[in-house]
PDB file of all heavy atoms in Angstrom:
ATOM      1  N   GLN A 561     117.752  85.137 109.710  1.00 98.00           N
ATOM      2  CA  GLN A 561     117.647  86.477 110.263  1.00 98.00           C
ATOM      3  C   GLN A 561     116.784  87.364 109.366  1.00 98.00           C
ATOM      4  O   GLN A 561     116.838  87.286 108.147  1.00 98.00           O
ATOM      5  CB  GLN A 561     119.036  87.093 110.410  1.00 98.00           C
ATOM      6  CG  GLN A 561     119.050  88.452 111.097  1.00 98.00           C
ATOM      7  CD  GLN A 561     120.464  88.985 111.270  1.00 98.00           C
ATOM      8  OE1 GLN A 561     121.434  88.286 111.033  1.00 98.00           O
ATOM      9  NE2 GLN A 561     120.580  90.239 111.698  1.00 98.00           N
ATOM     10  N   ASP A 562     115.968  88.207 110.005  1.00 98.00           N
ATOM     11  CA  ASP A 562     115.173  89.171 109.255  1.00 98.00           C
ATOM     12  C   ASP A 562     116.093  90.052 108.406  1.00 98.00           C
ATOM     13  O   ASP A 562     117.227  90.342 108.800  1.00 98.00           O
ATOM     14  CB  ASP A 562     114.353  90.040 110.196  1.00 98.00           C
ATOM     15  CG  ASP A 562     113.247  89.251 110.886  1.00 98.00           C
ATOM     16  OD1 ASP A 562     113.113  88.046 110.612  1.00 98.00           O
ATOM     17  OD2 ASP A 562     112.525  89.851 111.716  1.00 98.00           O
ATOM     18  N   ALA A 563     115.584  90.490 107.272  1.00 98.00           N
ATOM     19  CA  ALA A 563     116.427  91.200 106.309  1.00 98.00           C
ATOM     20  C   ALA A 563     115.822  92.534 105.888  1.00 98.00           C
ATOM     21  O   ALA A 563     114.597  92.675 105.781  1.00 98.00           O
ATOM     22  CB  ALA A 563     116.649  90.331 105.068  1.00 98.00           C
ATOM     23  N   TRP A 564     116.721  93.508 105.641  1.00 98.00           N
ATOM     24  CA  TRP A 564     116.367  94.788 105.033  1.00 98.00           C
ATOM     25  C   TRP A 564     116.928  94.825 103.623  1.00 98.00           C
ATOM     26  O   TRP A 564     118.082  94.439 103.400  1.00 98.00           O
ATOM     27  CB  TRP A 564     116.937  95.951 105.841  1.00 98.00           C
ATOM     28  CG  TRP A 564     116.268  96.173 107.157  1.00 98.00           C
ATOM     29  CD1 TRP A 564     116.684  95.705 108.374  1.00 98.00           C
ATOM     30  CD2 TRP A 564     115.067  96.912 107.390  1.00 98.00           C
ATOM     31  NE1 TRP A 564     115.812  96.099 109.357  1.00 98.00           N
ATOM     32  CE2 TRP A 564     114.800  96.845 108.793  1.00 98.00           C
ATOM     33  CE3 TRP A 564     114.188  97.611 106.566  1.00 98.00           C
ATOM     34  CZ2 TRP A 564     113.701  97.467 109.365  1.00 98.00           C
ATOM     35  CZ3 TRP A 564     113.086  98.225 107.150  1.00 98.00           C
ATOM     36  CH2 TRP A 564     112.852  98.159 108.522  1.00 98.00           C
ATOM     37  N   VAL A 565     116.140  95.279 102.679  1.00 98.00           N
ATOM     38  CA  VAL A 565     116.575  95.363 101.286  1.00 98.00           C
ATOM     39  C   VAL A 565     116.237  96.739 100.740  1.00 98.00           C
ATOM     40  O   VAL A 565     115.094  97.201 100.872  1.00 98.00           O
ATOM     41  CB  VAL A 565     115.885  94.279 100.417  1.00 98.00           C
ATOM     42  CG1 VAL A 565     116.233  94.458  98.945  1.00 98.00           C
ATOM     43  CG2 VAL A 565     116.270  92.882 100.888  1.00 98.00           C
ATOM     44  N   THR A 566     117.237  97.394 100.149  1.00 98.00           N
ATOM     45  CA  THR A 566     117.019  98.669  99.481  1.00 98.00           C
ATOM     46  C   THR A 566     116.819  98.414  97.987  1.00 98.00           C
ATOM     47  O   THR A 566     117.507  97.571  97.405  1.00 98.00           O
ATOM     48  CB  THR A 566     118.214  99.602  99.685  1.00 98.00           C
ATOM     49  OG1 THR A 566     118.430  99.781 101.098  1.00 98.00           O
ATOM     50  CG2 THR A 566     117.945 100.962  99.062  1.00 98.00           C
ATOM     51  N   GLU A 567     115.890  99.130  97.373  1.00 98.00           N
ATOM     52  CA  GLU A 567     115.524  98.853  95.986  1.00 98.00           C
ATOM     53  C   GLU A 567     115.474 100.126  95.153  1.00 98.00           C
ATOM     54  O   GLU A 567     115.307 101.230  95.678  1.00 98.00           O
ATOM     55  CB  GLU A 567     114.149  98.179  95.927  1.00 98.00           C
ATOM     56  CG  GLU A 567     113.033  99.077  96.439  1.00 98.00           C
ATOM     57  CD  GLU A 567     111.667  98.432  96.405  1.00 98.00           C
ATOM     58  OE1 GLU A 567     111.571  97.218  96.600  1.00 98.00           O
ATOM     59  OE2 GLU A 567     110.688  99.179  96.200  1.00 98.00           O
ATOM     60  N   LEU A 568     115.617  99.932  93.845  1.00 98.00           N
ATOM     61  CA  LEU A 568     115.399 101.012  92.882  1.00 98.00           C
ATOM     62  C   LEU A 568     114.855 100.405  91.600  1.00 98.00           C
ATOM     63  O   LEU A 568     115.488  99.545  90.987  1.00 98.00           O
ATOM     64  CB  LEU A 568     116.694 101.772  92.598  1.00 98.00           C
ATOM     65  CG  LEU A 568     116.577 102.870  91.511  1.00 98.00           C
ATOM     66  CD1 LEU A 568     115.596 103.949  91.939  1.00 98.00           C
ATOM     67  CD2 LEU A 568     117.936 103.468  91.202  1.00 98.00           C
ATOM     68  N   LYS A 569     113.709 100.869  91.208  1.00 98.00           N
ATOM     69  CA  LYS A 569     113.043 100.401  89.988  1.00 98.00           C
ATOM     70  C   LYS A 569     112.982 101.561  88.993  1.00 98.00           C
ATOM     71  O   LYS A 569     112.583 102.683  89.361  1.00 98.00           O
ATOM     72  CB  LYS A 569     111.639  99.908  90.334  1.00 98.00           C
ATOM     73  CG  LYS A 569     110.825  99.388  89.162  1.00 98.00           C
ATOM     74  CD  LYS A 569     109.479  98.885  89.682  1.00 98.00           C
ATOM     75  CE  LYS A 569     108.592  98.367  88.578  1.00 98.00           C
ATOM     76  NZ  LYS A 569     107.289  97.860  89.101  1.00 98.00           N
ATOM     77  N   THR A 570     113.363 101.301  87.754  1.00 98.00           N
ATOM     78  CA  THR A 570     113.373 102.331  86.719  1.00 98.00           C
ATOM     79  C   THR A 570     112.567 101.857  85.517  1.00 98.00           C
ATOM     80  O   THR A 570     112.729 100.719  85.074  1.00 98.00           O
ATOM     81  CB  THR A 570     114.816 102.650  86.277  1.00 98.00           C
ATOM     82  OG1 THR A 570     115.588 103.043  87.407  1.00 98.00           O
ATOM     83  CG2 THR A 570     114.820 103.755  85.237  1.00 98.00           C
TER      84      THR A 570
END
Side-chain angles (χ1 to χ4, degrees):
Q561 185 177 351
D562 291 359
W564 289 96
V565 174
T566 303
E567 64 181 33
L568 176 62
K569 180 178 179 179
T570 303

